[in-house]
Amino acid sequence: MVLSGAALVAGTFLLVYSAIELAELFDLSQFYAGLTIMALGCVVPEVAVSVAAALHGEQEISIGNVIGDNIITLTLVLGLVALIRSFTVSVEEILITVPFMVLVTLVLFIMNKRSHKITKPWSILMLAIAAFTFTIETFNHLA
């Protein structure tokens, strides 16, 4: 357990510093690096947990994992970071990012009201929103 914790900490530092290096190398903002590189790196364990749960017929773990992670990230993580050091968020970053968060929440709400199931058409819609979000964020930060 201690070895696993040490590996997690080491991997986290490696991910953060690699993201910073890539952002500097390609002249990208740290916000964009966090939005893409860091987010993709952090989502891999969630995908593994959710796929394993789905394979065992425990899909509710997947949705709980995703919703719980978002709530914890938006409250606990940002709260702890702000306690350590205050930070600013640009209006442009919020105006571009938050509408996608609201859209995904709305899609999940509608999906739940209609069928209480995440079916293949809904999953294709969610993947399309993810691709569209990534594309918009990329063009916004490269412009």
Side-chain angles (χ1 to χ4, degrees):
M1 181 87 89
V2 173
L3 185 60
S4 296
L8 180 63
V9 169
T12 301
F13 279 107
L14 182 63
L15 177 63
V16 169
Y17 289 112
S18 297
I20 291 169
E21 289 292 322
L22 284 171
E24 289 174 357
L25 178 68
F26 292 104
D27 195 32
L28 302 171
S29 71
Q30 287 188 3
F31 177 81
Y32 181 75
L35 191 69
T36 55
I37 301 164
M38 295 295 297
L40 290 172
C42 293
V43 79
V44 170
E46 285 188 46
V47 171
V49 166
S50 296
V51 168
L55 291 172
H56 288 92
E58 303 292 340
Q59 295 84 346
E60 286 186 27
I61 289 176
S62 298
I63 195 77
N65 177 40
V66 171
I67 292 171
D69 175 71
N70 283 298
I71 292 169
I72 293 297
T73 300
L74 287 169
T75 57
L76 180 66
V77 174
L78 288 179
L80 287 173
V81 169
L83 277 176
I84 295 167
R85 181 171 290 149
S86 296
F87 59 91
T88 58
V89 179
S90 77
V91 173
E92 294 82 19
E93 292 165 348
I94 296 297
L95 289 176
I96 291 171
T97 307
V98 170
F100 290 111
M101 293 171 55
V102 171
L103 175 63
V104 169
T105 303
L106 182 63
V107 167
L108 285 171
F109 179 78
I110 292 169
M111 184 175 23
N112 187 41
K113 284 294 191 187
R114 285 197 172 177
S115 66
H116 299 285
K117 287 185 177 182
I118 300 174
T119 59
K120 287 183 182 177
W122 286 112
S123 66
I124 290 168
L125 176 61
M126 297 297 275
L127 291 171
I129 292 170
F132 182 70
T133 303
F134 181 77
T135 302
I136 294 297
E137 292 290 350
T138 300
F139 283 121
N140 181 55
H141 284 83
L142 293 178

